[in-house]
Amino acid sequence: VRALVLQSGALTLQEIDRPNEPDGCLIRVTRAGICGTDLQMVNGYADFNGVLGHEFVGIVESTPPADSRWLGKRVVGEINVGCHTCYWCVRQVKEHCVNRTVLGIRGRDGAFAEFLSLPAANLHEVPDAVADDVAVFVEPVAAACRIVEQLEIMSITRIAVLGDGRLGNLIAQVLRLRTKRLVLLGRHRRKLEIARAMGITAKEESAVHDQFDVVIEATGRPDGLKRAMELVMPRGTIVLKSTFHDAAGAPLWPIPVQEITVVGSRCGPFAPAMDLLASGAVNTEPLVAATVGFGEHQAAFLSARHELKVLFDPQR
Amino acid sequence: VRALVLQSGALTLQEIDRPNEPDGCLIRVTRAGICGTDLQMVNGYADFNGVLGHEFVGIVESTPPADSRWLGKRVVGEINVGCHTCYWCVRQVKEHCVNRTVLGIRGRDGAFAEFLSLPAANLHEVPDAVADDVAVFVEPVAAACRIVEQLEIMSITRIAVLGDGRLGNLIAQVLRLRTKRLVLLGRHRRKLEIARAMGITAKEESAVHDQFDVVIEATGRPDGLKRAMELVMPRGTIVLKSTFHDAAGAPLWPIPVQEITVVGSRCGPFAPAMDLLASGAVNTEPLVAATVGFGEHQAAFLSARHELKVLFDPQR
């Protein structure tokens, strides 16, 4: 099995054993996407050693006997695998399981491989109408949908999405279904143009001095929170999506003085994300800059630093 | 008029003119309290030049003609003075008025003086049963009551109040009326003992490794948020009260990864605070370490760094 293995911060293409998890379904990966978290992990975050990658679509090739109905299905998968016994697992919230493994992030080999393994409980079948190149976006679109679970967004809610990268774009696409008063703010002329071509109001970040009810921080920059605090109304809400690992570097006094609420937001629900992709309400085609084989991983990771989405096709 | 004037970070006792604000009530201060914000401002925060102090009780000595019903009343006062015309003032939220002055903090002489001036709209009459030494606590108790406005606290909500100082103690007293599952965490043996003598569960901060639904950050320390993030449950809430002005210094990745909500909290409602003090539900007597005249301001400020509350009596 060919796989991109991260070890001590170095990513290499290796031949590894086929996953063999007693309670896991074996999935042949057909597409996998590079995410900002992957880029950070190659920079040393998370101390993870193993196969990288957590955005994927694939075909179930073998299952434990009890899960045989999944055989041959085309699936995407939730990335958190719970212990089934802790406080959070009992409440069906495996995202916060204290003993969790996370696909390609924590204690579990990931999706940049010909095969991966996940329990059937994590799988979601992909409708025929949704192509692999689209289905591979379910995981990040779910992360955008998490915001809708956490905040009440009304048609009059003024939202700034701060960050014109892959996640910022998807968040803008999801949230503009709730409010027309949304603007995407970024620093990259080309990414802003792509967003505009999709009908999103998109502006150069430094040119905006308005204040918003809600600011979604999706910059991936350690100073993103500082900028978000400037852009949010008193008593407004900042949604923090970036998992930057440097110190904040900014004084946090605006939070109490302006009575700002900061909401941390991570993984989200797959079902509504799949619906948004199936209906075309969220459009991913303009985001895909390239689809490459694992052999081109160095170029792929370099490209992913500047492009919205780079996909792997393990068959190439 | 004798007053403690802050200028370029230096606090001195001066003779100044009696306040003469056309739409203000002139109040003869009978007690004023030193707050953590005052200590920070003497350290240079806020760039404020003028009479310091914002916790007070006093007697109305003169008023504009329209407000003559306040003459002779014993009052406490809300500290934010609004412009009456901005977005926030139209919504009756003068705490966030974009043009606001704040008693002894921003653009307005404060309470460490024989006389101060505030508009009648800011005043609250003090019931006869509430002594000056108690009424002077209405402002900080109101700040504690603000938390009850912002969060739903149920009898099963587990709360840690982080910080055993003057504000932490008052917050613990207010919130334990809502939940018995509250613990005050601090680093000062004597302050923890005072809290215990008041019936509050109080523990050495470093000895606690539990996780709480809600953590109230009232340490005044720049690393307070870091400790609060360790003490809060996934999907739990941190209330940020400290207005520390250094950079956070801690990575904020636990906020998205644990999906923590951080709620900034500042000034609160005077009416419920007065009720809590009048009924004795909040007890301030054990907090008062000393009551001194303005002449002893240097000793008072030194003492306030270690004691829970130091009061000024302008008549001494």
Side-chain angles (χ1 to χ4, degrees):
Chain A
V1 171
R2 296 160 69 236
L4 295 177
V5 178
L6 187 66
Q7 205 139 25
S8 310
L11 192 70
T12 51
L13 181 56
Q14 299 182 11
E15 190 70 30
I16 62 168
D17 290 342
R18 180 178 286 221
N20 184 19
E21 201 181 21
D23 59 348
C25 296
L26 184 74
I27 296 160
R28 182 164 51 78
V29 177
T30 53
R31 283 290 185 286
I34 300 178
C35 156
T37 303
D38 300 319
L39 296 172
Q40 284 194 40
M41 288 172 72
V42 173
N43 282 347
Y45 147 51
D47 230 4
F48 173 77
N49 290 313
V51 178
L52 199 64
H54 58 274
E55 300 178 359
F56 76 93
V57 55
I59 311 280
V60 179
E61 293 234 332
S62 74
T63 71
D67 300 317
S68 59
R69 72 178 187 88
W70 286 98
L71 266 176
K73 301 272 197 231
R74 198 159 60 102
V75 297
V76 292
E78 297 173 41
I79 67 177
N80 298 279
V81 179
C83 69
H84 304 293
T85 55
C86 78
Y87 175 94
W88 291 100
C89 284
V90 168
R91 285 156 183 77
Q92 311 272 343
V93 185
K94 54 183 176 293
E95 297 92 312
H96 291 290
C97 167
V98 293
N99 307 305
R100 70 183 176 273
T101 58
V102 186
L103 189 73
I105 294 178
R106 175 161 149 177
R108 170 175 288 273
D109 279 336
F112 296 160
E114 288 177 277
F115 290 92
L116 65 80
S117 173
L118 270 180
N122 283 54
L123 303 183
H124 292 256
E125 190 171 356
V126 180
D128 291 343
V130 180
D132 279 0
D133 282 351
V134 175
V136 72
F137 283 90
V138 171
E139 200 277 336
V141 172
C145 290
R146 176 70 181 136
I147 297 169
V148 179
E149 290 186 329
Q150 293 177 293
L151 300 191
E152 184 178 37
I153 297 169
M154 294 176 292
S155 60
I156 58 164
T157 305
R158 290 162 304 171
I159 299 184
V161 179
L162 188 59
D164 55 12
R166 52 205 123 234
L167 186 57
N169 182 295
L170 293 174
I171 290 169
Q173 288 197 63
V174 169
L175 297 188
R176 70 166 166 166
L177 302 171
R178 302 278 176 142
T179 173
K180 289 202 166 57
R181 305 177 75 178
L182 178 143
V183 58
L184 178 69
L185 304 180
R187 296 180 169 186
H188 307 92
R189 190 178 303 180
R190 206 160 43 83
K191 293 179 183 175
L192 293 172
E193 274 167 14
I194 290 172
R196 278 187 209 110
M198 304 171 84
I200 297 167
T201 307
K203 294 185 181 171
E204 170 60 40
E205 179 189 320
S206 61
V208 172
H209 306 283
D210 298 330
Q211 288 197 314
F212 298 85
D213 301 311
V214 174
V215 178
I216 315 291
E217 196 291 309
T219 62
R221 305 191 316 254
D223 71 337
L225 179 60
K226 180 168 186 287
R227 184 70 179 116
M229 291 190 296
E230 294 166 1
L231 288 165
V232 75
M233 293 273 290
R235 296 195 177 168
T237 299
I238 295 171
V239 175
L240 204 59
K241 274 288 185 191
S242 298
T243 52
F244 31 74
H245 283 253
D246 295 324
L252 298 180
W253 60 263
I255 295 176
V257 170
Q258 310 272 54
E259 295 195 306
I260 297 165
T261 295
V262 180
V263 177
S265 180
R266 194 164 48 104
C267 297
F270 272 42
M274 186 81 80
D275 290 347
L276 291 173
L277 289 166
S279 70
V282 170
N283 178 13
T284 59
E285 192 276 328
L287 276 54
V288 179
T291 303
V292 302
F294 289 143
E296 298 175 70
H297 68 90
Q298 283 180 316
F301 270 77
L302 278 175
S303 172
R305 298 203 177 274
H306 306 288
E307 303 292 343
L308 284 168
K309 188 60 79 176
V310 176
L311 300 178
F312 285 117
D313 175 353
Q315 276 68 55
R316 294 205 189 189
Chain B
V1 172
R2 296 159 69 234
L4 293 177
V5 178
L6 186 67
Q7 205 138 24
S8 310
L11 192 69
T12 51
L13 182 56
Q14 299 183 11
E15 190 70 30
I16 63 168
D17 290 342
R18 181 178 286 221
N20 184 19
E21 203 181 17
D23 58 348
C25 295
L26 185 73
I27 296 161
R28 182 165 50 81
V29 177
T30 53
R31 284 289 185 288
I34 300 178
C35 155
T37 302
D38 300 320
L39 295 173
Q40 284 194 40
M41 289 173 71
V42 173
N43 283 345
Y45 147 50
D47 232 2
F48 173 76
N49 291 313
V51 177
L52 200 62
H54 57 276
E55 300 177 359
F56 76 94
V57 54
I59 310 279
V60 179
E61 294 234 332
S62 74
T63 73
D67 300 317
S68 59
R69 71 179 188 89
W70 286 98
L71 266 177
K73 301 273 199 228
R74 200 159 59 101
V75 297
V76 292
E78 297 174 40
I79 68 176
N80 297 279
V81 179
C83 69
H84 304 292
T85 56
C86 77
Y87 175 93
W88 292 100
C89 284
V90 167
R91 285 155 182 78
Q92 312 273 343
V93 185
K94 54 183 174 294
E95 298 92 311
H96 291 290
C97 167
V98 293
N99 308 306
R100 70 183 176 272
T101 58
V102 186
L103 188 72
I105 294 178
R106 177 160 148 177
R108 171 175 287 272
D109 280 336
F112 297 160
E114 289 176 277
F115 290 92
L116 66 80
S117 173
L118 271 180
N122 282 54
L123 304 183
H124 293 257
E125 190 172 355
V126 179
D128 290 342
V130 180
D132 278 1
D133 283 350
V134 175
V136 71
F137 282 90
V138 169
E139 200 277 338
V141 171
C145 290
R146 175 71 181 136
I147 298 170
V148 179
E149 289 186 329
Q150 293 177 294
L151 300 191
E152 185 179 35
I153 297 170
M154 294 176 292
S155 60
I156 58 163
T157 305
R158 289 162 305 172
I159 298 184
V161 178
L162 189 58
D164 54 13
R166 53 206 123 233
L167 186 56
N169 182 294
L170 293 174
I171 289 170
Q173 289 197 63
V174 169
L175 298 188
R176 71 166 167 165
L177 302 171
R178 302 279 175 140
T179 173
K180 289 202 165 56
R181 305 177 75 177
L182 178 144
V183 57
L184 178 69
L185 304 179
R187 295 180 168 185
H188 307 91
R189 190 178 302 180
R190 206 160 45 82
K191 292 178 183 175
L192 292 172
E193 274 167 14
I194 290 172
R196 279 187 208 110
M198 303 172 85
I200 297 167
T201 306
K203 294 184 182 173
E204 170 59 39
E205 180 189 319
S206 61
V208 172
H209 305 284
D210 299 330
Q211 288 197 315
F212 298 85
D213 301 312
V214 174
V215 178
I216 315 292
E217 197 289 308
T219 63
R221 305 192 315 254
D223 70 337
L225 179 61
K226 180 169 184 289
R227 184 70 179 117
M229 291 191 295
E230 294 166 1
L231 288 165
V232 75
M233 292 275 290
R235 296 195 178 167
T237 299
I238 294 170
V239 175
L240 205 58
K241 274 289 185 188
S242 298
T243 51
F244 31 73
H245 283 253
D246 296 325
L252 299 180
W253 59 264
I255 295 176
V257 170
Q258 310 272 54
E259 295 194 307
I260 297 164
T261 294
V262 180
V263 176
S265 179
R266 193 164 50 103
C267 298
F270 271 43
M274 186 81 81
D275 289 346
L276 291 174
L277 289 166
S279 70
V282 170
N283 177 12
T284 58
E285 192 276 330
L287 276 54
V288 179
T291 304
V292 302
F294 289 143
E296 297 175 70
H297 67 90
Q298 283 180 316
F301 270 77
L302 279 175
S303 172
R305 299 205 176 273
H306 307 288
E307 304 291 345
L308 284 168
K309 187 60 77 175
V310 176
L311 300 178
F312 284 116
D313 175 353
Q315 275 68 56
R316 293 202 189 191

